[in-house]
Amino acid sequence: MRFANTAEGYGLLSRVLHWGIALAILGMLVLGTWIDRMTSDLSNFWLFGLHKSIGLTILVLVLVRLAWHRYSPPPVLRAMQHPWELYLARTVHWSLYLLLLAIPLTGWGASSATGIDTLYFDHWTVPPIAPPSESLSDLGFAVHGVLTKLLMLLLLLHIVGALRHGTGPGSALRRMWRG
């Protein structure tokens, strides 16, 4: 089993990072939607901490994935029927990466602006990246929410594109699943 990427396929590390981040994101979308709709009190405060901890973990994993792809470039996208499909695939991929960096950072900034310490899985205090400010917190959470909704749309496009082009023997979906 190959650890690194090749010109024809994804290596083990790329596949583990891809599917691990994908599962974490799906879990975060469910958890984030749930905590956004509930009334917060001391009995469910731990869910916010869990959300923040998983978000910071996703941020680190995305940074690791980007660094890994610099070291072991992913295989090139196969030619698609229309040039616009290749352009759309690349645009969606890079937009996903940008959002997967921006969403945790806006959440971290907004949380920092509340003035409440952020604990990473209830063990380590994460340094604040914004000064306490109610208006900054409100703005940060609003941006966080908008970016998350945009992420949902792009994930849908990504999944539809993968399924549309994922039926052939050398398809990106098959290469991401099997290597």
Side-chain angles (χ1 to χ4, degrees):
M1 185 170 292
R2 291 183 331 264
F3 189 72
N5 298 324
T6 66
E8 292 300 314
Y10 292 95
L12 179 62
L13 184 57
S14 289
R15 294 192 328 262
V16 167
L17 286 169
H18 176 273
W19 294 110
I21 292 168
L23 286 173
I25 291 167
L26 292 176
M28 283 293 278
L29 291 174
V30 171
L31 179 59
T33 301
W34 186 23
I35 64 175
D36 187 48
R37 293 181 179 169
M38 69 182 181
T39 304
S40 59
D41 58 39
L42 291 179
S43 69
N44 57 25
F45 195 68
W46 68 275
L47 290 171
F48 292 88
L50 178 63
H51 182 79
K52 293 172 190 182
S53 295
I54 295 171
L56 290 170
T57 302
I58 290 172
L59 176 63
V60 170
L61 290 175
V62 169
L63 291 170
V64 167
R65 186 171 181 192
L66 288 170
W68 175 247
H69 281 185
R70 293 281 293 160
Y71 175 76
S72 179
V76 295
L77 290 174
R78 303 280 170 109
M80 298 181 185
Q81 283 183 324
H82 305 287
W84 65 266
E85 290 176 313
L86 185 58
Y87 174 78
L88 182 61
R90 286 186 176 139
T91 302
V92 168
H93 273 109
W94 283 109
S95 298
L96 284 171
Y97 281 122
L98 287 173
L99 287 172
L100 292 177
L101 295 171
I103 291 170
L105 288 172
T106 57
W108 185 4
S111 291
S112 296
T114 65
I116 300 171
D117 283 343
T118 297
L119 295 177
Y120 185 73
F121 290 110
D122 290 331
H123 288 289
W124 301 282
T125 302
V126 178
I129 60 170
S133 164
E134 187 176 345
S135 60
L136 191 57
S137 174
D138 291 344
L139 176 63
F141 285 125
V143 171
H144 185 73
V146 169
L147 293 178
T148 301
K149 287 171 181 55
L150 182 57
L151 176 68
M152 289 181 200
L153 175 65
L154 288 178
L155 286 175
L156 183 62
L157 278 174
H158 180 68
I159 292 167
V160 167
L163 292 174
R164 184 173 188 277
H165 296 287
T167 56
S171 70
L173 180 58
R174 188 169 293 208
R175 292 187 293 165
M176 184 50 80
W177 191 255
R178 294 186 185 166

